[in-house]
């Protein structure tokens, strides 16, 4: 195996995460000149076993802007769809490309893929985690409000969502308090909760959890793969919709985030999602900037030098060995 995988947010240390977010913000503010092609001749393979809009377009655009190339591989258009094993697929692809992004159903399948890959693997979403979304969310809060350290985040809705479980890891890495409001049937993985009990609390009262929070976050009530449970989840989660009344309980400058796609009138009301303190749209754009930093870090071996005059100079000076 060459380099590191990015399968969960805590595959980065807190310090690395901080550097990566700084790097992404600088890259957003000072895009590389067209002549700079730090990932020239590098190829990203993107395997999607579930559909995507943002993840696909942001990774493909990121590779293009950095001078590299991205290949889209939908399950139905590859031999995976005809039963080739995930390990054999990883072995073959990683003998040809430099880095691979996989969006798949079970986190175990992602781990099997990563263990057979010779190149870094990025989790583009599994049932358990969505770390790339967290990079964008954390970047967005930092850009609009500053550090999350010492602040309070309220999660309202499906506590078992891959995004919520990624927030649990973020709470430890970024040192914020996370309050999860969710029905007993939708609680996050108990082991994950227990491991982060110092910073994460979980209860059933959305109003109590939202009160005074600096950031309110939610996700769809039925994630991809849970379509058959959608009706039951609709009933369970009705009281957790993020509406104006719930948002009004948060801190006066609180932001709202949603990974998107959203269902207006279900997990969030339109006036919140489309309102002035919704940062969901900025976070969607920030998928691109955060993932450019991630790709450069995984492929070029280090973050931008904070002392460098320009991002371009620092990227050009990056070592070529992987972290
Ligand atoms: N938030 C997110 O991952 O969106 P897509 O499913 O469109 O990639
Ligand atoms: N929890 C959602 C996130 C979509 C980006 C899902 O897995 O479908």
């Amino acid at each position: 195996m060459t380099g590191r995988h990015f399968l969960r947010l805590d595959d980065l240390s807190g310090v690395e995460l901080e550097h990566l977010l700084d790097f992404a913000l600088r890259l957003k503010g000072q895009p590389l000149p067209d002549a700079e092609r730090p990932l020239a001749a590098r190829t990203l393979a993107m395997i999607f076993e579930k559909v995507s809009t943002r993840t696909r377009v942001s990774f493909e655009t990121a590779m293009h802007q950095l001078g590299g190339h991205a290949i889209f591989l939908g399950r139905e258009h590859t031999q995976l769809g005809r039963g080739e094993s995930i390990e054999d697929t990883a072995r073959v692809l990683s003998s040809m490309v430099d880095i691979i992004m996989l969006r798949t159903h079970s986190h175990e399948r992602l781990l099997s893929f990563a263990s057979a890959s010779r190149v870094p693997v990025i989790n583009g979403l599994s049932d358990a985690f969505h770390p790339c979304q967290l990079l964008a969310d954390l970047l967005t809060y930092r850009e609009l409000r500053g550090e999350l350290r010492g602040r309070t985040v309220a999660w309202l809705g499906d506590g078992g969502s891959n995004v919520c479980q990624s927030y649990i890891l973020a709470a430890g890495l970024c040192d914020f308090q996370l309050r999860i409001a969710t029905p007993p049937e939708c609680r996050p993985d108990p082991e994950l909760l227990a491991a982060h009990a110092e910073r994460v609390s979980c209860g059933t009262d959305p109003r109590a959890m939202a009160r005074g929070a600096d950031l309110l976050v939610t996700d769809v009530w039925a994630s991809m793969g849970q379509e058959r449970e959608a009706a039951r989840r609709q009933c369970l989660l009705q009281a957790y919709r993020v509406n104006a009344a719930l948002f009004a309980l948060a801190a006066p400058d609180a932001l709202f985030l949603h990974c998107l796609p959203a269902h207006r009138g279900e997990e969030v009301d339109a006036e919140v999602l489309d309102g002035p303190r919704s940062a969901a749209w900025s976070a969607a754009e920030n998928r691109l900037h955060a993932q450019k930093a991630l790709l450069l870090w995984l492929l070029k071996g280090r973050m931008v030098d904070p002392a460098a005059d320009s991002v371009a100079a620092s990227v050009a000076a990056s070592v070529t060995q992987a972290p």
Side-chain angles (χ1 to χ4, degrees):
M1 156 66 193
T2 311
R4 283 165 64 167
H5 299 311
F6 183 60
L7 307 181
R8 309 169 27 139
L9 195 66
D10 58 355
D11 285 337
L12 292 168
S13 68
V15 170
E16 286 172 332
L17 177 57
E18 187 134 324
H19 285 178
L20 192 136
L21 297 175
D22 280 346
F23 182 14
L25 262 190
R26 290 192 68 183
L27 210 48
K28 181 175 180 181
Q30 282 179 43
L32 297 178
D34 284 351
E36 287 290 332
R37 296 168 54 82
L39 298 187
R42 303 294 185 100
T43 299
L44 164 73
M46 308 184 296
I47 307 173
F48 284 94
E49 297 197 291
K50 291 177 174 175
V51 297
S52 164
T53 299
R54 282 145 286 268
T55 305
R56 177 188 175 172
V57 174
S58 53
F59 269 114
E60 196 163 332
T61 305
M63 283 306 284
H64 177 70
Q65 291 184 359
L66 295 171
H69 175 58
I71 303 174
F72 172 79
L73 296 162
R75 179 184 166 81
E76 63 283 12
H77 300 299
T78 65
Q79 297 290 4
L80 276 171
R82 295 182 60 247
E84 185 167 17
S85 80
I86 198 78
E87 292 86 355
D88 289 356
T89 305
R91 195 168 163 182
V92 171
L93 287 183
S94 66
S95 70
M96 300 179 193
V97 304
D98 302 282
I99 187 160
I100 303 171
M101 189 236 77
L102 174 60
R103 168 170 285 198
T104 191
H105 294 273
S106 76
H107 198 73
E108 286 65 36
R109 187 168 167 84
L110 180 76
L111 294 176
S112 302
F113 185 91
S115 65
S117 171
R118 290 168 40 192
V119 300
V121 175
I122 297 171
N123 178 3
L125 180 149
S126 67
D127 60 349
F129 298 108
H130 194 1
C132 294
Q133 184 64 47
L134 262 284
L135 294 183
D137 282 22
L138 297 171
L139 180 62
T140 305
Y141 193 87
R142 197 182 186 88
E143 187 178 26
L144 299 176
R145 295 285 188 270
E147 285 208 25
L148 257 177
R149 176 168 290 112
R151 296 189 188 245
T152 299
V153 177
W155 178 276
L156 305 154
D158 179 14
S161 136
N162 37 23
V163 181
C164 181
Q165 296 204 146
S166 300
Y167 266 93
I168 294 176
L169 298 179
L173 289 167
C174 302
D175 195 15
F176 60 80
Q177 291 298 316
L178 174 64
R179 300 182 196 148
I180 301 170
T182 195
E185 296 84 348
C186 299
R187 284 170 69 91
D189 174 358
E191 281 183 23
L192 198 60
L193 268 184
H196 294 84
E198 217 175 278
R199 291 194 183 79
V200 183
S201 56
C202 188
T204 54
D205 182 351
R207 292 173 59 85
M209 295 308 194
R211 197 163 284 120
D214 301 290
L215 173 63
L216 262 55
V217 197
T218 192
D219 188 4
V220 290
W221 287 344
S223 284
M224 290 182 276
Q226 296 179 328
E227 289 77 10
R228 274 185 292 181
E229 295 171 41
R232 188 178 77 95
R233 289 173 156 273
Q234 283 269 349
C235 298
L236 286 173
L237 286 154
Q238 278 301 318
Y240 297 85
R241 172 175 307 125
V242 183
N243 55 27
L246 206 51
F247 202 19
L249 295 173
D253 66 343
L255 293 177
F256 170 75
L257 280 171
H258 187 309
C259 62
L260 305 174
H263 298 91
R264 290 174 179 79
E266 290 186 23
E267 74 274 5
V268 60
D269 274 351
E271 61 184 313
V272 174
L273 181 66
D274 301 315
R277 284 189 287 134
S278 169
W281 312 101
S282 304
E285 179 195 330
N286 279 338
R287 292 291 303 272
L288 170 65
H289 306 293
Q291 288 160 202
K292 280 167 81 172
L294 177 69
L295 288 164
L296 282 168
W297 177 63
L298 289 173
L299 287 169
K300 298 285 280 183
R302 68 174 160 94
M303 307 293 178
V304 73
D305 174 1
D309 286 343
S310 77
V311 172
S314 181
V315 168
S318 297
V319 291
T320 46
Q321 86 221 24

